[in-house]
Amino acid sequence: MGKIIAIANQKGGVGKTTTAINLGAALGVLEKKVLLVDADPQANATSGLGIDVRSTQYGTYQLLEHSIEVKDAILITQSPNLHLIPSHIDLVASEIELVDKESREYMLKKALKNIVDEYDYILIDCAPSLGLITLNSLVAADAVIIPIQCEYFALEGLGKLLNTIKSVQKLHNKELDIEGLLLTMYDTRLRLSNQVVEEVKKHFGKMVFKTIIQRNIRLSEAPSYGEDIISYDASSRGAKSYLSLGSEIIKRIK
């Protein structure tokens, strides 16, 4: 049975989508079958994998509405072993449309139920908010990866996210686990980056991934070419970091 991992942090610009795309690609290269669910109305994971958002017929919006079968929304990407359920700006409407529905927190979980066994990993790229779509993602997931940027306000808002995760565990998904905290945008030249790493490790210990994602120009460039970092530049520091993260996650599950 596949493992569903949500990549979540309500703060924007922490490397959620970069992680979703490139961890998915890394696990694919490591011969795991991966599905990436773009649950962010900005659809950056969709465009970052070279999919024209305007041309997508079905995606996460229809899944949450239960108006299609999940298999009808899956696209094959150019990255080995990586499939995608795309997003679209229409997804914003789900926040409002789901409010009156019964079991509104379980829509994504129900939609993914029939394909969990077909993948080793299902990654969900969450929106930078703690709204109903992110709640659906956390209810559907087995675990959460929390990206934290190595910058001044790194831990700001983290308590709120951890409280949300506790609430989801208590009310909707007792099995939800924190897969790990992922330090991103690390700059070896900055003392502040090193201080943030030390502080996060001091507070959270073994919950922090050993792999740290360093700032890398190639990593920033890749989405504008519609490619993951391994396809774009397999020898780059970014590619090596995400392959290391993929290996770390695979080893944890064994």
Side-chain angles (χ1 to χ4, degrees), residues 121-136:
Y121 296 94
I122 296 176
L123 305 179
I124 306 173
D125 182 29
C126 297
S129 74
L130 293 177
L132 203 42
I133 302 168
T134 299
L135 183 57
N136 261 269

Side-chain angles (χ1 to χ4, degrees), residues 164-180:
T164 300
I165 291 168
K166 277 183 191 166
S167 296
V168 171
Q169 287 167 330
K170 192 175 175 183
L171 299 170
H172 306 293
N173 183 0
K174 289 190 179 108
E175 308 301 315
L176 183 64
D177 198 8
I178 294 177
E179 186 72 16

Side-chain angles (χ1 to χ4, degrees), residues 1-5 33 115-122 140 142 253:
M1 189 168 164
K3 182 166 190 176
I4 303 177
I5 302 175
K33 198 172 178 195
I115 54 154
V116 171
D117 294 339
E118 294 178 27
Y119 293 92
D120 296 303
Y121 296 94
I122 296 176
D142 300 306
I253 289 171

Side-chain angles (χ1 to χ4, degrees), residues 5-12 14-17 19-20 123-130 133-135 137-138 141 143-148 157-158 161-162 164-165 176 178 180-182:
I5 302 175
I7 299 166
N9 190 331
Q10 77 272 26
K11 272 174 74 76
V14 298
K16 269 193 310 294
T17 299
T19 296
L123 305 179
I124 306 173
D125 182 29
C126 297
S129 74
L130 293 177
I133 302 168
T134 299
L135 183 57
S137 302
L138 294 173
V144 192
I145 290 175
I146 305 171
I148 299 173
L158 186 58
L161 176 61
L162 293 173
T164 300
I165 291 168
L176 183 64
I178 294 177
L181 278 66
L182 176 67

Side-chain angles (χ1 to χ4, degrees), residues 1 3 14 23 46 55 73 78 81 92 109 126 134 139 145 148 153 160 164 185 194 196 198-199 213 228 240 253:
M1 189 168 164
K3 182 166 190 176
V14 298
L23 175 58
T46 301
S55 69
Q78 293 173 358
N81 299 317
V92 170
K109 184 181 178 77
C126 297
T134 299
V139 172
I145 290 175
I148 299 173
F153 292 113
K160 198 173 180 184
T164 300
M185 302 179 190
N194 293 307
V196 171
E198 282 173 27
E199 195 176 340
I213 310 299
D228 64 81
K240 288 170 185 170
I253 289 171

